[in-house]
Amino acid sequence: AQSVAQPEDQVNVAEGNPLTVKCTYSVSGNPYLFWYVQYPNRGLQFLLKYITGDNLVKGSYGFEAEFNKSQTSFHLKKPSALVSDSALYFCAVPLNQAGTALIFGKGTTLSVSS
Amino acid sequence: DSGVTQTPKHLITATGQRVTLRCSPRSGDLSVYWYQQSLDQGLQFLIQYYNGEERAKGNILERFSAQQFPDLHSELNLSSLELGDSALYFCASSEQGLAKNIQYFGAGTRLSVL
């Protein structure tokens, strides 16, 4: 079965510092991997996805993610954190190779302090 | 704005009652998904429709049902409500319902069962 794991419930960083939010995956076949962000009282917003190709994927709001097949990881990164990046971040994989729904990790709360 | 519209934003009802949540997908999107977000269960997939037909089921209770209409809007019906059904219900849509498609989420309906 497809699954993702986010090992950290919370990540705390200071504004201007680099940030990393971790995600590991378990899939059969070629992985499709997604990152979404949820701001308070809002729906989820798409950040970026990995389908194939370059291992470094660039997304919205200056975020990027590094796909590592040997470590089965897809960590979300940003070189310089902003206070406005504080939110709940979800890693996700499709339910199966035929497509359909997304299976989400439990989420990681990112808190950026000024 | 994702282009996905959910109504109502908030719903307060009593145990044993029945409610209907409505979702209008982005223009042109054929696939609609329903998710439930709660503190204890996280973000869980309920059901997917594609062009009016049910495509996949997740952790959807028998008391819950959904449908997608010819104009592609969808409704999620929750009946015999229990306290544990209190949660945030999200609708998402995607163009073709493929694994690599981005899902766009609505702002959600917050259901409170008292």
Side-chain angles (χ1 to χ4, degrees):
Chain A
Q2 319 277 87
S3 66
V4 289
Q6 294 180 243
E8 302 156 318
D9 290 335
Q10 179 142 351
V11 170
N12 300 309
V13 297
E15 188 173 32
N17 284 357
L19 70 87
T20 298
V21 182
K22 296 180 180 178
C23 172
T24 58
Y25 65 88
S26 175
V27 302
S28 54
N30 295 321
Y32 294 154
L33 298 161
F34 297 79
W35 276 102
Y36 283 81
V37 60
Q38 183 178 22
Y39 297 101
N41 300 316
R42 302 277 296 274
L44 278 72
Q45 295 179 31
F46 168 76
L47 278 179
L48 51 81
K49 67 176 179 179
Y50 173 83
I51 301 298
T52 186
D54 289 341
N55 290 340
L56 188 63
V57 179
K58 294 192 182 296
S60 307
Y61 312 121
F63 284 93
E64 56 190 27
E66 186 173 6
F67 172 71
N68 188 315
K69 188 173 182 178
S70 62
Q71 297 186 5
T72 62
S73 67
F74 188 56
H75 299 334
L76 182 70
K77 300 183 178 185
K78 188 174 183 181
S80 178
L82 300 172
V83 172
S84 58
D85 293 329
S86 299
L88 183 57
Y89 290 81
F90 291 97
C91 182
V93 291
L95 179 62
N96 51 47
Q97 286 295 307
T100 71
L102 290 171
I103 301 300
F104 289 89
K106 61 181 178 154
T108 298
T109 298
L110 173 66
S111 179
V112 182
S113 56
S114 57
Chain B
D1 183 8
S2 67
V4 178
T5 303
Q6 287 188 249
T7 56
K9 286 186 171 26
H10 301 279
L11 205 46
I12 302 174
T13 188
T15 54
Q17 294 299 304
R18 173 189 169 94
V19 297
T20 297
L21 282 54
R22 181 187 170 99
C23 170
S24 295
R26 289 190 328 150
S27 176
D29 284 357
L30 297 177
S31 195
V32 169
Y33 312 79
W34 287 96
Y35 294 88
Q36 179 194 60
Q37 185 178 32
S38 62
L39 284 175
D40 54 345
Q41 298 291 330
L43 196 57
Q44 289 197 98
F45 165 63
L46 296 178
I47 196 164
Q48 179 201 7
Y49 279 82
Y50 177 79
N51 204 21
E53 300 289 327
E54 181 185 304
R55 174 173 276 192
K57 269 186 173 179
N59 299 320
I60 188 166
L61 300 171
E62 286 191 9
R63 300 183 285 108
F64 296 0
S65 65
Q67 54 184 327
Q68 187 179 27
F69 294 87
D71 66 353
L72 300 178
H73 91 271
S74 178
E75 293 181 356
L76 178 67
N77 300 296
L78 315 176
S79 61
S80 302
L81 286 168
E82 302 175 0
L83 295 177
D85 297 328
S86 296
L88 196 50
Y89 291 84
F90 286 113
C91 168
S93 72
S94 72
E95 188 176 359
Q96 292 289 335
L98 300 176
K100 60 184 178 181
N101 289 160
I102 297 168
Q103 292 186 25
Y104 295 90
F105 283 74
T109 293
R110 184 171 295 281
L111 174 66
S112 298
V113 183
L114 305 178

